[in-house]
Amino acid sequence: MIVTLLFLATAALINAESSTRYDYKEALRLSILFYDAQRSGRLPADNPIPWRGDSAVDDGDAGHDLSGGWYDAGDHVKFGLPMAWASWVLNYGLVAFPDAYEATGQTAMACDSVRWPLEYFLKCWIPSENKFYAQVGDGNSDHSFWGSPENMRMSRPASAVTTSCPGSDVAGKTVSALASGYLVFKDTCGDASFAADLLSAAESLYAFAKNNKGLYDDCMAAGDFYSSSSYQDELAAAAAWMAKATGESSYLSDARSFYPNGTAWGFNWNDDNVGAAVVLYDVTGEDFFKNDVVNFVSSYSSGRVQKTPCGLSYRDKWGPNRHAANAAFIATLAASLGLNANEANEYAQSQINYILGDNPLGISYEIGFGNYFPKKPHHRGSSCRMSDNSCSINDSGDNPNQLDGGMVGGPGDADDYSDDRDDYVHNEVAVDYNAGFQSALAGLIHFAITDSLPAAPAPGC
Ligand SMILES: *[C@@H]1O[C@H](CO)[C@@H](O)[C@H](O)[C@H]1NC(C)=O
Ligand SMILES: *[C@@H]1O[C@H](CO)[C@@H](O)[C@H](O)[C@H]1NC(C)=O
């Protein structure tokens, strides 16, 4: 009898969940599919996107295979900097909130998804030559083509950083991807041998990044698209992840030397600092790092960072949703470390709920979520059928292929939005856009299933 009662009591505890205003589990499931739609290379037999096939299978350089990885956004270049950022931010969601993926029945899908860029990064790094491939494809020729990736025929040059063309930014950011990937595959995704390969590559790539300092776009032609303003932030995050992954104190002292003091402007592909601060607070418990995390979250939640009239953090006209979602992810991490948890989670919900429908148009900016969402995202694979070689950006009607899970750039500063395919400022998707969004959803699901999510804040309008 006592045993039965205990069992019932435990079951009740396990089953208690905070109610959520939107179905975060469905939003998370869809977001994983977006990454599957961005896959380059030879697709596996279980590819879940019916409108995608093999593409760019010959990507490489002088016989060195560089196929695989993710297409960046609506285009088909493989840009190393945003891909690495998306990779480590998704990995962090799996490291911090594995129970959310489990509760959603998406652990296996997520493991397959985050493995894809990690396998590609292993191809990109040649330790014996101190050579790291940081891009495949040419931005200008790629952007002059509107068609599916399966039909593209332009040349796709590969470019690398080396000891004579250093890029501690892109190499450092990839270290964060590999080291966080090591933790994901050692634990949640259960592949010790792949995890060991990732850690070994992370160690040698870290040494390369640290010993060859420089901005990659000083000598690579990536700067027109993803110009890097500093490499200190990437080295700080890389050292932080290496410290978390290995427990070695030398990485911690490196991280301290690279990490700058202050409240970050944002968290995005060009600024790892607040992410580094979270990892370093997690590892050290020191106020120095805690203060930067707390101040970052409060700068966004308080409205010191501009909000639209209806409450979306509006950091930039270019893709405001991702800046808001990235800040929401940092807020859920802060909450998981006990830093003003309720306020942080209220802020995170306010942003994610806005993106999913708490806005004056009642639109979900995540494609496929609910009944009303963008139908014409700026995305070639979604816009063009594989069988159609005469596809144009100006074709009338909705995109023939629904890009489930993609989160578009977002509204203007007056909460205004229109669903225009040629509006790449507000209606493009990108691998870096969805990363903070997906990991923030994981964070909110974690708090919901542990019955510790505060009530959803009222919509701002
Ligand atoms: C960090 O910056 C703040 C504000 O400028 C300053 O008050 C503080 O002393 C700095 N801390 C360290 C450890 O440099
Ligand atoms: C699409 O239409 C715009 C004008 O609305 C025009 O400037 C552009 O050249 C067209 N693009 C193509 C590929 O037809």
Side-chain angles (χ1 to χ4, degrees):
M1 184 53 146
I2 289 167
V3 172
T4 313
L5 282 176
L6 269 177
F7 171 77
L8 288 175
T10 315
L13 269 178
I14 288 170
N15 288 333
E17 281 194 24
S18 313
S19 63
T20 61
R21 188 166 158 75
Y22 289 94
D23 185 347
Y24 296 146
K25 292 177 181 172
E26 172 64 1
L28 179 76
R29 185 188 72 79
L30 289 167
S31 179
I32 296 168
L33 293 175
F34 166 69
Y35 286 98
D36 289 338
Q38 295 302 106
R39 281 174 169 175
S40 180
R42 211 169 290 287
L43 301 186
D46 64 358
N47 158 44
I49 311 298
W51 46 268
R52 282 301 325 280
D54 296 348
S55 63
V57 297
D58 296 327
D59 277 1
D61 187 35
H64 180 78
D65 173 31
L66 294 169
S67 64
W70 284 327
Y71 296 125
D72 182 56
D75 62 348
H76 302 140
V77 182
K78 300 192 295 200
F79 287 113
L81 204 66
M83 198 195 307
W85 189 82
S87 174
W88 85 251
V89 171
L90 290 168
N91 291 341
Y92 203 176
L94 274 155
V95 168
F97 307 117
D99 56 343
Y101 284 90
E102 201 56 36
T104 309
Q106 292 295 308
T107 303
M109 285 296 283
C111 291
D112 282 354
S113 166
V114 299
R115 180 191 281 267
W116 199 260
L118 293 170
E119 285 182 338
Y120 169 72
F121 295 142
L122 291 180
K123 293 180 182 181
C124 291
W125 173 225
I126 309 177
S128 61
E129 296 176 23
N130 270 328
K131 187 172 198 180
F132 176 72
Y133 285 97
Q135 184 171 329
V136 180
D138 172 80
N140 294 312
S141 63
D142 183 280
H143 291 185
S144 65
F145 166 77
W146 194 266
S148 75
E150 293 79 8
N151 287 325
M152 68 181 166
R153 297 290 177 263
M154 80 289 284
S155 79
R156 292 173 57 80
S159 16
V161 292
T162 60
T163 52
S164 55
C165 169
S168 31
D169 38 20
V170 68
K173 209 182 281 290
T174 307
V175 170
S176 293
L178 296 167
S180 56
Y182 158 74
L183 293 172
V184 167
F185 281 88
K186 177 171 76 69
D187 302 326
T188 306
C189 297
D191 185 340
S193 131
F194 186 55
D197 290 347
L198 295 172
L199 185 59
S200 159
E203 284 166 342
S204 54
L205 188 58
Y206 178 80
F208 170 74
K210 180 186 164 184
N211 296 332
N212 299 281
K213 294 205 182 73
L215 295 173
Y216 82 125
D217 50 308
D218 281 347
C219 70
M220 269 186 51
D224 292 350
F225 300 93
Y226 289 98
S227 178
S228 168
S229 42
S230 143
Y231 54 76
Q232 242 77 20
D233 60 312
E234 278 93 0
L235 288 175
W241 276 109
M242 292 305 291
K244 187 169 164 71
T246 67
E248 283 174 28
S249 59
S250 63
Y251 290 120
L252 198 51
S253 40
D254 280 6
R256 288 182 203 286
S257 73
F258 295 129
Y259 181 75
N261 179 17
T263 306
W265 178 88
F267 180 47
N268 60 79
W269 61 265
N270 194 25
D271 191 344
D272 284 342
N273 276 325
V274 70
V278 178
V279 176
L280 290 169
Y281 175 62
D282 182 19
V283 170
T284 66
E286 290 173 12
D287 284 352
F288 177 67
F289 300 114
K290 178 174 88 175
N291 292 340
D292 285 351
V293 176
V294 167
N295 289 338
F296 176 86
V297 175
S298 74
S299 72
Y300 274 76
S301 62
S302 66
R304 282 201 299 284
V305 171
Q306 184 189 343
K307 289 181 182 173
T308 65
C310 296
L312 181 73
S313 289
Y314 191 78
R315 199 25 138 174
D316 190 17
K317 74 167 183 180
W318 196 293
N321 284 340
R322 55 66 203 252
H323 287 292
N326 296 344
F329 176 44
I330 296 295
T332 62
L333 289 170
S336 76
L337 295 168
L339 305 178
N340 306 329
N342 275 355
E343 292 87 339
N345 275 331
E346 272 168 23
Y347 171 72
Q349 284 184 94
S350 72
Q351 300 306 298
I352 297 301
N353 291 354
Y354 182 106
I355 291 167
L356 293 177
D358 278 1
N359 56 65
L361 301 169
I363 193 168
S364 161
Y365 288 105
E366 184 188 34
I367 299 162
F369 185 84
N371 302 317
Y372 179 41
F373 49 81
K375 297 290 176 61
K376 300 177 188 172
H378 183 90
H379 185 276
R380 285 158 218 182
S382 163
S383 156
C384 301
R385 289 187 179 84
M386 241 190 284
S387 59
D388 178 5
N389 278 315
S390 60
C391 175
S392 162
I393 192 170
N394 290 337
D395 287 345
S396 59
D398 297 341
N399 290 5
N401 302 317
Q402 186 169 307
L403 183 61
D404 280 334
M407 180 188 75
V408 300
D413 64 0
D415 298 295
D416 51 300
Y417 165 80
S418 67
D419 186 7
D420 292 329
R421 192 181 295 124
D422 59 4
D423 183 354
Y424 46 80
V425 173
H426 300 102
N427 222 22
E428 190 160 6
V429 293
V431 292
D432 67 285
Y433 282 15
N434 260 74
F437 173 67
Q438 181 173 316
S439 290
L441 286 165
L444 292 175
I445 292 166
H446 160 80
F447 288 104
I449 62 179
T450 52
D451 196 20
S452 44
L453 194 66
C461 284

